[in-house]
Amino acid sequence: MRRNTSEEEMAITRQTGAIIVSLYTIAQPVLDSRKTTTTWLLEVMLFLFFLLGTPALTIVLWTALSVFRNHETARRIGLPIVISPVSTLNPFWILLYRGFPAILSLEYLPFGLGTWARCTSMGWAFKDKYRLHDDLGPLFTLVTPAGNEITVADPEVAHAVLARRKDYIKPAVMYEQLNVFGRNLNTVEGEDWQRHRRLTAPSFNERTSSLVWDEAGRQATDMVSIWSQQGPRGTEDTVADTATLALHVLTCAGFGEAYSFSQGVRKAGPGHEMTYRDALSLCLANIITFAILPKRYLSSSFLPRKLRKLGQAAHEFQRYMEEMLDRERRVGAKATSEAPNLMSALVRAADEDRLAKESGHSSRLGLTDEEIFGNIFAYNLAGHETTANTVAYALFLLAAHPQYQEWVREEIMHTRDGTKKDYDSVFPRLQRCLAVMVGPPTPCQMSRYLLQQYETLRLYGSIVFIPRAASLESQTLAYGKGGDIVLPPSTAVNINVQALHTDPKTWGTDSLSWRPTRWFGESTSETRKGSTAQTFTSTPRGSFIPWADGPRVCPGQKFAQVEFVSVMATLLGQYRVKPVLEAGQSEEQGRRGLLAMVEDSAIFAITLQMNRPGKVALQWEALQP
């Protein structure tokens, strides 16, 4: 009886299988001739699970099928492969490892089974440096259910990808979150990018640099005066205060709004409930949230208080930008070839767009108001948060390395041989030549200010990777001696900046050490008072890209350099900085604790920041004349 029942069950199973296969054949009458038998069987099983209504098993099978398909594509690319059950942008995976960081311990599974957990968390490159590439090679393919991701740590390949802006575009899924207030220079492509670049780039000129130099020095003077008054207890507000300084420099040089360090954006404007700084900071810290929940919904009463607070911040910042735009329009943009600041350039561009529409022209000549707001937000992100982080990291590192404070101070003293302190007289002497990043580097002279900035950006740059994606056509890349590799359309390409900046093959065996002198070659000539002019050590193109590379290199690079140099010259020319020691702690222990605090960093939102920047206070002592 059991045998007959078993035979009947088997017959029913065979009939059910035949029906499912028939339904599948109806749904997809023509199978791709390139598919293997295994792929076909997996698809049949997937259809079966869909039919039987088992969501969990369906997800598992869909993941397996997607990974299998993408693995087949990855094999044809020919790079080393890491297989991952999740993609780096999978929201459930992001929530999981942020809520339960211990899950990332899967990377320690034997036989390389957990390698995927090593390279799928946000900001993994900062922790890993070049080590994964040391195991797998300069390029490898991460195979995920959502697609393949090529991770690049080869200087020539990185340069080629960034130089070919039409072939390797910014992936919309990564940059859409920056459109929270409007499309901007960071997010647009093609002709729109050319338009935004043409209208905004001219504001970054020598006139602006001079204004940045003066304002950064003024803000730094006020800031260090407050710090020095704290005495032996020091200040724990280094990061917050450098953020205020950078924001004040940006609002002055970029938007025509000058503030004192102790006031300014620290106080709410008339009719506002939040300060400009607090509204902006909250928006920047939650930039990923905007990609999930548009800001127009964040004021809904049913949402948690934290989200409603974010909605209020977005509303407040929107109003601040509208007020700046109204003020600039009332003043009127000056009709000169060089706009005095970014805001003037944006307003002029908006007026051109408005006039074009009124005259019936369909071509886009200027910027809409929404695009102005988008660019203001983008420049607040790129123009103040990144620079503030670099200044803060440099100050902590200088406090941990007093020998480099003296090394930099020596140069400051040699530039103070006259009464002039303006940008045109002082900065060119400190910044004799900038490293050429978009072409083959040439030997040149570098100031010690810029070298400490470069060395800080090398190890603690705000951006640890640069995302790109192949266009809608297959792209060919020259890679090493193995010939070309072909990337299918829309393949993600991630430039691992942190690996490029720490690879011992480029930077030597001490590549993980902060050593500004590495940028200098041997002395070339003697200058007055025993100072030496030294030759900048050239590096392979594509090996140092803190401002990106190619046509889309950061337009505010000079802005950031001038600001950084002005702040450092002001601070180190008059003060000495050191860590505040705990009871019973030696100076060496204090410095090691400071370095540990700096190294304890991670990606917050989209930039690198210290987890506990107030753990070690800094004491500022005035130098004796």
Side-chain angles (χ1 to χ4, degrees):
M1 186 69 177
R2 290 179 182 174
R3 182 178 178 182
N4 291 338
T5 303
S6 177
E7 290 178 351
E8 290 175 1
E9 291 174 349
M10 291 179 62
I12 293 173
T13 301
R14 285 194 296 269
Q15 292 173 5
T16 304
I19 294 172
I20 291 172
V21 172
S22 299
L23 291 172
Y24 180 84
T25 304
I26 294 173
Q28 187 176 355
V30 181
L31 291 173
D32 189 335
S33 59
R34 293 173 297 178
K35 291 178 181 175
T36 64
T37 302
T38 306
T39 304
W40 184 86
L41 289 174
L42 283 171
E43 291 184 343
V44 171
M45 293 171 65
L46 177 61
F47 185 79
L48 170 62
F49 283 120
F50 268 119
L51 188 67
L52 296 180
T54 54
L57 292 176
T58 298
I59 292 173
V60 170
L61 191 57
W62 175 86
T63 299
L65 174 59
S66 299
V67 167
F68 180 83
R69 283 176 164 173
N70 294 332
H71 182 268
E72 290 295 300
T73 303
R75 288 178 57 191
R76 290 192 290 271
I77 295 175
L79 298 172
I81 292 174
V82 174
I83 298 177
S84 171
V86 296
S87 69
T88 54
L89 297 179
N90 185 310
F92 299 106
W93 170 239
I94 294 173
L95 290 173
L96 180 61
Y97 70 70
R98 285 192 167 182
F100 305 95
I103 193 71
L104 296 177
S105 298
L106 288 171
E107 69 175 86
Y108 300 110
L109 289 173
F111 312 114
L113 295 176
T115 303
W116 64 271
R118 184 175 171 183
C119 58
T120 53
S121 61
M122 188 174 296
W124 67 271
F126 176 76
K127 174 186 175 183
D128 195 86
K129 313 299 184 189
Y130 64 88
R131 297 183 184 95
L132 186 55
H133 290 280
D134 210 25
D135 296 337
L136 298 176
L139 273 69
F140 67 85
T141 303
L142 178 67
V143 177
T144 79
N148 293 331
E149 302 176 17
I150 311 298
T151 304
V152 175
D154 179 272
E156 280 297 326
V157 175
H159 172 75
V161 169
L162 295 175
R164 294 161 56 182
R165 71 171 181 85
K166 294 183 179 180
D167 295 334
Y168 297 94
I169 61 176
K170 290 189 173 185
V173 67
M174 296 287 289
Y175 286 89
E176 181 60 31
Q177 56 193 317
L178 299 181
N179 285 330
V180 57
F181 294 101
R183 288 158 56 83
N184 55 76
L185 183 63
N186 274 333
T187 61
V188 293
E189 291 286 347
E191 293 182 358
D192 279 341
W193 174 79
Q194 293 176 328
R195 175 170 56 89
H196 280 253
R197 180 83 174 196
R198 173 178 57 83
L199 295 170
T200 59
S203 59
F204 294 100
N205 50 47
E206 286 302 289
R207 185 185 303 177
T208 300
S209 294
S210 179
L211 183 56
V212 169
W213 175 267
D214 294 339
E215 184 63 15
R218 184 174 73 89
Q219 294 287 332
T221 298
D222 293 347
M223 179 177 70
V224 75
S225 176
I226 295 174
W227 286 349
S228 62
Q229 293 173 14
Q230 305 304 310
R233 71 174 182 270
T235 178
E236 298 177 351
D237 298 325
T238 302
V239 171
D241 286 346
T242 55
T244 298
L245 178 147
L247 189 55
H248 281 171
V249 173
L250 178 64
T251 56
C252 177
F255 307 130
E257 301 283 345
Y259 302 108
S260 66
F261 177 78
S262 59
Q263 301 295 323
V265 295
R266 294 173 181 267
K267 290 190 174 182
H272 286 272
E273 297 181 7
M274 300 178 70
T275 67
Y276 182 95
R277 184 186 67 175
D278 291 345
L280 173 62
S281 298
L282 197 55
C283 289
L284 293 177
N286 294 274
I287 189 68
I288 296 178
T289 304
F290 290 118
I292 302 172
L293 191 61
K295 69 177 189 296
R296 63 179 178 273
Y297 298 124
L298 289 173
S299 300
S300 301
S301 57
F302 61 85
L303 290 176
R305 183 177 179 277
K306 185 177 180 180
L307 289 178
R308 295 200 308 273
K309 188 74 172 178
L310 178 57
Q312 180 189 7
H315 175 71
E316 290 276 321
F317 189 69
Q318 178 79 33
R319 287 183 56 209
Y320 275 117
M321 291 191 293
E322 291 171 353
E323 290 165 3
M324 284 193 296
L325 182 58
D326 289 341
R327 281 195 298 269
E328 185 62 38
R329 280 186 167 140
R330 285 197 302 268
V331 172
K334 296 181 181 180
T336 60
S337 58
E338 288 186 302
N341 57 52
L342 175 63
M343 197 67 190
S344 297
L346 294 175
V347 170
R348 184 186 305 169
D351 290 342
E352 290 177 359
D353 182 72
R354 176 176 52 80
L355 292 173
K357 289 180 178 178
E358 290 176 355
S359 61
H361 295 294
S362 59
S363 60
R364 298 292 300 280
L365 300 176
L367 298 174
T368 65
D369 283 2
E370 185 180 26
E371 288 173 327
I372 287 182
F373 299 142
N375 278 289
I376 291 175
F377 180 70
Y379 279 109
N380 271 283
L381 168 62
H384 111 270
E385 185 173 79
T386 55
T387 303
N389 286 346
T390 305
V391 171
Y393 273 108
L395 293 179
F396 284 124
L397 291 164
L398 285 166
H401 298 282
Q403 72 274 24
Y404 291 125
Q405 286 188 57
E406 298 303 321
W407 181 71
V408 173
R409 190 173 293 114
E410 179 187 10
E411 187 176 65
I412 297 174
M413 296 300 104
H414 288 306
T415 62
R416 293 185 173 178
D417 56 355
T419 58
K420 293 184 177 180
K421 298 181 180 180
D422 60 283
Y423 167 77
D424 292 329
S425 301
V426 179
F427 186 76
R429 298 175 57 194
L430 300 175
Q431 183 179 288
R432 299 177 183 178
C433 180
L434 290 177
V436 180
M437 299 303 170
V438 295
T442 56
C444 57
Q445 302 298 319
M446 290 286 290
S447 80
R448 296 179 185 184
Y449 306 106
L450 284 174
L451 294 182
Q452 56 173 313
Q453 183 196 32
Y454 275 34
E455 184 70 350
T456 303
L457 287 170
R458 186 180 71 83
L459 291 176
Y460 303 99
S462 293
I463 305 300
V464 298
F465 74 96
I466 301 174
R468 290 291 186 267
S471 65
L472 298 180
E473 298 179 356
S474 297
Q475 299 298 330
T476 302
L477 272 176
Y479 173 46
K481 298 179 180 179
D484 295 341
I485 57 174
V486 179
L487 303 184
S490 302
T491 300
V493 181
N494 296 323
I495 309 298
N496 191 339
V497 177
Q498 198 70 19
L500 288 167
H501 288 184
T502 57
D503 190 343
K505 293 190 291 293
T506 300
W507 306 101
T509 55
D510 67 341
S511 63
L512 299 182
S513 299
W514 188 79
R515 182 170 61 84
T517 52
R518 77 173 67 249
W519 294 89
F520 269 143
E522 296 181 357
S523 302
T524 57
S525 63
E526 295 293 325
T527 60
R528 58 186 173 279
K529 299 182 182 181
S531 177
T532 59
Q534 295 176 291
T535 304
F536 172 62
T537 301
S538 61
T539 57
R541 66 179 185 180
S543 62
F544 181 65
I545 51 174
W547 292 284
D549 199 354
R552 299 199 70 152
V553 66
C554 176
Q557 176 178 340
K558 180 70 176 290
F559 189 111
Q561 290 171 337
V562 173
E563 180 179 346
F564 184 93
V565 170
S566 180
V567 171
M568 291 298 152
T570 302
L571 299 182
L572 299 181
Q574 304 175 55
Y575 294 86
R576 179 183 292 110
V577 61
K578 62 181 181 181
V580 175
L581 303 180
E582 298 178 357
Q585 194 177 43
S586 68
E587 290 187 359
E588 181 60 28
Q589 289 173 330
R591 291 167 188 160
R592 286 202 301 266
L594 188 53
L595 291 175
M597 182 191 75
V598 169
E599 195 62 29
D600 181 22
S601 298
I603 295 294
F604 286 85
I606 58 177
T607 58
L608 183 73
Q609 298 177 32
M610 283 170 267
N611 286 314
R612 293 179 291 175
K615 184 179 180 181
V616 180
L618 295 183
Q619 180 182 351
W620 290 83
E621 298 176 339
L623 296 172
Q624 296 300 321

